[in-house]
Amino acid sequence: MTRLALTYFAILFAIGFVLGTLRVMLLVPSLGPRNAELLEIPVMLVAIFFVGRWIARHCQGRKQAVGVGCMALALLLSAEVMLAAILFRKSPMEALLDKDPVSGAAYYVSLLLFAIMPAWMRRAIDDDDEPSKPSR
């Protein structure tokens, strides 16, 4: 489970890091931080969907998928706090709570989806694998 959580975290953290860098360099100057973040989030959600589905295929059931999502979320939040402390000298509370009200709310929804996606996709996989019940 740890390897899957590390893989899920690492892939999406890398994608987010690249997108965040591009967002700051290319979009923020012309659109502002809020609009740039709101444009980045759908791209991340697509990545979360595909990577979450791939990870779910490697989980040994929904219980493991829930654990993978929770562990990956803890890793992601830890990385965000550490980066904010190193790059911007922010405290952990500032790193987690100093967000735009609109794009910050969307960000936290995306974090929730990040956490539940492996279990959600595992459930879909398990439902597809169940034989159809005959109708009466």
Side-chain angles (χ1 to χ4, degrees):
M1 177 168 34
T2 303
R3 183 179 57 80
L4 288 171
L6 281 168
T7 302
Y8 185 48
F9 154 75
I11 292 170
L12 285 166
F13 183 77
I15 293 169
F17 191 83
V18 169
L19 288 176
T21 302
L22 293 173
R23 170 179 44 87
V24 170
M25 292 172 50
L26 303 175
L27 297 177
V28 169
S30 59
L31 300 175
R34 175 186 287 178
N35 290 331
E37 289 170 4
L38 290 172
L39 282 174
E40 178 187 4
I41 288 172
V43 177
M44 279 304 300
L45 291 176
V46 169
I48 288 168
F49 173 81
F50 285 108
V51 177
R53 187 172 65 176
W54 181 75
I55 289 293
R57 289 184 180 142
H58 294 84
C59 290
Q60 301 299 314
R62 287 181 222 163
K63 189 174 181 179
Q64 185 182 34
V66 168
V68 166
C70 291
M71 196 180 299
L73 178 62
L75 290 166
L76 184 64
L77 291 173
S78 298
E80 181 169 329
V81 166
M82 286 190 300
L83 275 176
I86 292 167
L87 298 177
F88 306 111
R89 303 208 187 274
K90 288 187 176 185
S91 72
M93 291 303 285
E94 288 173 320
L96 295 174
L97 300 177
D98 189 21
K99 306 277 186 208
D100 175 84
V102 175
S103 61
Y107 170 73
Y108 286 116
V109 169
S110 70
L111 286 181
L112 175 65
L113 289 171
F114 170 77
I116 68 169
M117 192 60 67
W120 192 4
M121 292 292 104
R122 185 69 234 178
R123 180 177 179 191
I125 291 166
D126 291 346
D127 288 349
D128 285 346
D129 290 344
E130 286 181 13
S132 297
K133 294 179 182 174
S135 18
R136 292 184 174 188

